[in-house]
Amino acid sequence: MSLVDENAPPEEQIARQAKIIDALMRRANRSNDVGVSAYSAFQSAIELQAQVAAKTRDLERAATELESVRYDRERARRTLEDALSAMGEGFALFTGGRLDICNVLFRTFLPDVAFRVRKGLRLEDYLQYMMQSRALVSTDRGITRNFAPEDRGSTGASVRSVVIELRGDRWYQLSQQRTSSSNVVLLLTEITSIVRQNRSEKEHLIDRQAAYIQAAFEDMTSGVCTFSSSGEVMMYNRQFRQLLGLPFTLLQKGTTLTRLLDFLRNHSLVAEDADLRVEAWRRHLQHEGWLRKRIRHGTDRVLELQVNRLPDDGFLVELTDVTLESRATEILENRVQERTAELTEANRRLTEQYEEKARVEEELRLAKERAEAAVSSKTRFLAAASHDLLQPVNAAKLLLATLKERTRGTEFAATVERLYGAFGSTEQLLHSLLDISRLESADPSAVTPSEISLGVLMQGIYEDQSALAEQKKVHLSVVPSDVLVCSDPVYLLRSIQNLVVNAIQYTEPGGRVLVGCRRRGKKVILQVWDTGIGIGLKDQKRIFEEFARAENVSLASGVGLGLSVVDRACKLLGHRLWVRSKPGVGSLFCIELDRVPGRRVPVEPATVAPADTDVELERIILVIENDPDVLFAMTQKLEHWGASVLAAPSTAEALVHVRDMGLAPDIVLADYQLDGEDTGVRAIAEIRRETGVHVPAIVITADRREQIRRQGAELGFTVMHKPVQLSKLRPLIEWKIRWQSPGPVLEGGAQEPAQEQAQTKVGHDSAPQGNTLDAGRHIT
């Protein structure tokens, strides 16, 4: 451990070493040291002498280095002083708030306080002397406040500066910057040349701006004149003098507004004396800041006066000649008055016409209500009378079918065949009228969208229309499909059926009709192609209207309702319908449907032949029908097929037949709407309850409501619509008797669940293709 602090100043180190040497020397000279031998003392003296010599050399070297540092410091200070003296700016360094060094320029900056500027001067004292100097004229901000010495900002903070004006139009910038926590530098920079140059440029710019303003005034179409706050002319243009008709000698800079107004008044250039009151102008300007009015100048001119107050309480006067505008306004006002009188008269006539129109509109409204009531009555009549209309048609069709079979091979066969065909046309027309009636009713329950197998639907239409195609010698084919679509089964079936019938009807013998569908993303396009007579372009826009036919169609071909039904049904179901056709080549009708994704129903081409009518239908059939003609015709037809028929007009008589017979019939055929509140559904339930077995049943009705279909699904009977298609009735009877064998009946007439499930499965798997035979589906 060293006995001398190496970090201490050299003087302290030398003094410390001298004390140590002196102590060692005294210790060596003592003769009464206890326990030390003469040899040890001698040896210690030798070592002490060596240490003293080493310390002496260190002290000499330290003294030499200290002298060198002092010399360098003095030389650096003289160099700094020389550099500061050569600077073009005043410089002063304050250390600890007191002047440490400055150059001559800073010291002589203010001659009357130069003698006070010496080393050790406090910064705040110097600033006070500066503010008291007679050479100081002004500063742009306070010096003592901005250069306060107690402000201990961080080192390197932003420079603070003050602009100082001295006598003789001299300008300096005094800047302060803190270099350390205790050092502050003041710089004085002369900016006299910069200030004088800026002043000159500003004066020149003001002169140029005045020239620009004067030039702008002269180019203005309106007269402009500026007045000072005392009301003297400052600047004006030639147009101002010409508009007022003032002499050149009068309108000069310094002329008062009062003198100008007196001239106008004396020469009668202004008609109203109120327009020439200066005090009124001043009060209005003080309150509003602007003034606008029109004055008459002389006898034939109108001037618009616009006065705006200026920031220095002066004001600017602008004059515009609006004589033509004023005359136009007067003419316009006169015309407006004349036009007002004309409009008043016209309004009176229009009021009379409006009252007459209101009376006519009221009459038209009443007429419209009567027409709408008539249409509604017609619609309700057709909807309500569908059962009554179809009853005789159904009876006639059954009788004609029986007559056709019984006259086969006789001389009356051709006549009966023609009669049967004519009746088929009547039936088709009746169906179209009833379809239009239902579509016009706008009843939300008229359509019931559901999932439909398009392949099954097309196959059923193929079987229905094959006979018509064979009769016309037209080749009808259907492309099988397994796609499911979302639509109403009844109206979609009617739409496709009408398109196919039309295609067959207007295709010459030997032609072809093709029915199929194409997938288009989430849509399915059902297409009906034919090689028929085609439709012209102008007729393609009107064939979907009621009673509309193409020009190349004969009048005996129909009344033109089939395509109208298709169009109305597609609009009601939200399906897109369009046609492409070329006369002499053929037509293509398309219906765009929503596809049910992810599900398919395999469909094979129809291979099941119609039921053999030569084989006796040896079954007991209970027929319930309240219409005597329909009951007679149905009985005749069933007996002709070889069945034993029990005919009853009501549920009560049907139960009498069942009790008398003592056993359940093989099948029940019942009309839905019987007399009063009696229905075929009730009759089926009562018979099943009476016999204790689930008797197969078919409800035959003209009512197409969804409610009946749901009842069929719940109670296990099939629904067929009138007029009955005999080609489907017999296969349906045979299938239901064969596969829907009677079983135990539960409360309400429903079959036992296990048997119901078996029945539904059989209905789907074993029914003849093209006929929808499972419980609750519509058959048309």
Side-chain angles (χ1 to χ4, degrees), residues 336-622:
V336 167
Q337 292 177 359
E338 296 174 358
R339 186 59 178 167
T340 301
E342 295 176 359
L343 290 176
T344 302
E345 178 62 22
N347 184 55
R348 184 187 63 79
R349 293 195 300 267
L350 286 174
T351 302
E352 295 177 354
Q353 294 176 4
Y354 176 78
E355 293 174 354
E356 179 66 18
K357 181 182 178 182
R359 184 183 62 79
V360 173
E361 287 181 349
E362 180 64 18
E363 294 179 356
L364 290 175
R365 185 185 64 81
L366 295 175
K368 181 183 177 183
E369 289 179 354
R370 290 194 294 269
E372 290 177 348
V375 172
S376 178
S377 177
K378 179 264 297 182
T379 302
R380 289 195 304 270
F381 168 75
L382 289 176
S386 60
H387 180 269
D388 297 334
L389 289 172
L390 292 176
Q391 285 290 79
V393 171
N394 188 41
K397 186 175 182 180
L398 293 173
L399 292 172
L400 283 174
T402 304
L403 182 61
K404 181 180 177 182
E405 292 182 359
R406 291 184 176 180
T407 58
R408 185 179 300 166
T410 66
E411 58 181 330
F412 302 105
T415 302
V416 174
E417 185 69 30
R418 289 181 178 272
L419 179 61
Y420 192 80
F423 188 82
S425 300
T426 303
E427 179 189 355
Q428 184 68 23
L429 177 60
L430 180 59
H431 274 299
S432 297
L433 289 173
L434 292 177
D435 286 338
I436 290 178
S437 172
R438 283 189 290 269
L439 292 170
E440 283 183 345
S441 67
D443 184 3
S445 63
V447 294
T448 54
S450 59
E451 295 183 3
I452 303 171
S453 172
L454 199 55
V456 172
L457 204 64
M458 293 189 298
Q459 199 63 48
I461 293 173
Y462 168 79
E463 295 181 359
D464 292 342
Q465 305 304 326
S466 294
L468 177 62
E470 291 177 2
Q471 182 181 357
K472 287 267 303 185
K473 294 182 173 55
V474 173
H475 178 69
L476 173 64
S477 57
V478 174
V479 179
S481 174
D482 59 357
V483 70
L484 288 176
V485 297
C486 182
S487 184
D488 181 86
V490 176
Y491 285 112
L492 181 59
L493 175 65
R494 294 289 296 163
S495 298
I496 303 174
Q497 191 175 49
N498 285 350
L499 293 179
V500 173
V501 170
N502 265 20
I504 296 173
Q505 183 177 357
Y506 296 114
T507 300
E508 298 297 330
R512 295 190 60 189
V513 174
L514 174 64
V515 183
C517 63
R518 298 179 185 271
R519 292 182 177 87
R520 293 287 186 271
K522 296 182 180 180
K523 302 289 185 179
V524 173
I525 312 298
L526 184 137
Q527 298 179 335
V528 178
W529 296 77
D530 68 67
T531 59
I533 61 177
I535 307 168
L537 184 61
K538 66 177 182 179
D539 290 330
Q540 293 178 19
K541 300 179 181 179
R542 51 183 292 271
I543 56 174
F544 294 107
E545 300 174 0
E546 292 90 345
F547 309 107
R549 291 188 296 266
E551 292 183 351
N552 56 348
V553 174
S554 63
L555 295 177
S557 60
V559 294
L561 286 178
L563 293 180
S564 175
V565 172
V566 177
D567 181 61
R568 287 172 179 263
C570 288
K571 287 180 179 178
L572 190 62
L573 294 168
H575 301 331
R576 182 184 168 213
L577 170 67
W578 71 94
V579 60
R580 293 204 304 266
S581 184
K582 184 175 182 181
V585 177
S587 302
L588 166 63
F589 286 85
C590 300
I591 299 177
E592 186 180 76
L593 306 160
D594 292 327
R595 181 167 63 91
V596 178
R599 294 185 56 193
R600 295 184 178 181
V601 178
V603 176
E604 300 294 335
T607 57
V608 179
D612 189 358
T613 56
D614 293 334
V615 178
E616 295 291 333
L617 184 61
E618 296 179 350
R619 300 291 183 178
I620 301 175
I621 301 177
L622 176 58

Side-chain angles (χ1 to χ4, degrees), residues 137-192:
V137 177
S138 67
T139 61
D140 64 339
R141 59 177 63 89
I143 296 179
T144 56
R145 184 177 65 256
N146 285 276
F147 293 166
E150 61 272 10
D151 184 8
R152 296 294 184 262
S154 60
T155 302
S158 61
V159 177
R160 299 181 180 181
S161 61
V162 176
V163 176
I164 300 174
E165 180 185 3
L166 300 183
R167 289 184 178 182
D169 194 23
R170 291 189 303 150
W171 298 82
Y172 285 85
Q173 183 181 33
L174 177 62
S175 302
Q176 170 189 288
Q177 184 172 9
R178 188 173 298 278
T179 61
S180 67
S181 59
S182 60
N183 294 339
V184 175
V185 173
L186 293 184
L187 290 177
L188 277 170
T189 305
E190 186 172 3
I191 58 173
T192 302

